């Protein structure tokens, strides 16, 4: 559910800010987070004898979340700088 909320937030930011807010990279990271979350869930039920597989996917998901937060923060700073220049 949280990934759907994040994707809707990105759509709103893209529509409000227009061409000044670049969300392509953020959309890619959000889609990757949704995919890895689904893979982690499936691997948990499919590989119950080896829980390391699900833990691996959850580790990847954690790294993607950090990458998303850093990218979002950098894009917000760049957007403020662009708005300040105008």
């Amino acid at each position: 559910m949280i990934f759907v909320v994040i994707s809707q937030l990105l759509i709103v930011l893209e529509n409000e800010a227009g061409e000044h807010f670049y969300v392509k990279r953020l959309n890619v990271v959000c889609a990757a987070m949704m995919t890895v979350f689904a893979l982690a869930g499936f691997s948990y039920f499919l590989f119950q004898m080896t829980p390391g597989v699900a833990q691996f996917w959850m580790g990847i998901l954690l790294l993607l979340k950090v990458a998303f937060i850093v990218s979002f923060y950098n894009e917000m700073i760049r957007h403020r700088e662009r708005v300040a220049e105008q």
Side-chain angles (χ1 to χ4, degrees), residues 6-21:
I6 290 172
S7 64
Q8 293 299 318
L9 171 71
L10 293 176
I11 290 171
V12 168
L13 286 175
E14 188 176 26
N15 289 337
E16 285 184 4
E19 71 274 356
H20 299 292
F21 195 82

Side-chain angles (χ1 to χ4, degrees), residues 52-75:
V53 176
Q55 290 176 354
F56 170 76
W57 286 114
M58 292 305 284
I60 298 292
L61 180 62
L62 182 63
L63 291 175
L64 285 172
K65 286 181 180 183
V66 169
F68 178 81
I69 290 171
V70 169
S71 297
F72 186 76
Y73 179 73
N74 285 336
E75 188 57 42

Side-chain angles (χ1 to χ4, degrees), residues 30-41:
C30 185
M33 286 191 305
M34 286 190 264
T35 304
V36 169
F37 182 74
L39 287 173

Side-chain angles (χ1 to χ4, degrees), residues 23-34:
V23 295
K24 184 175 181 178
R25 182 182 340 144
L26 296 174
N27 283 329
V28 169
V29 174
C30 185
M33 286 191 305
M34 286 190 264

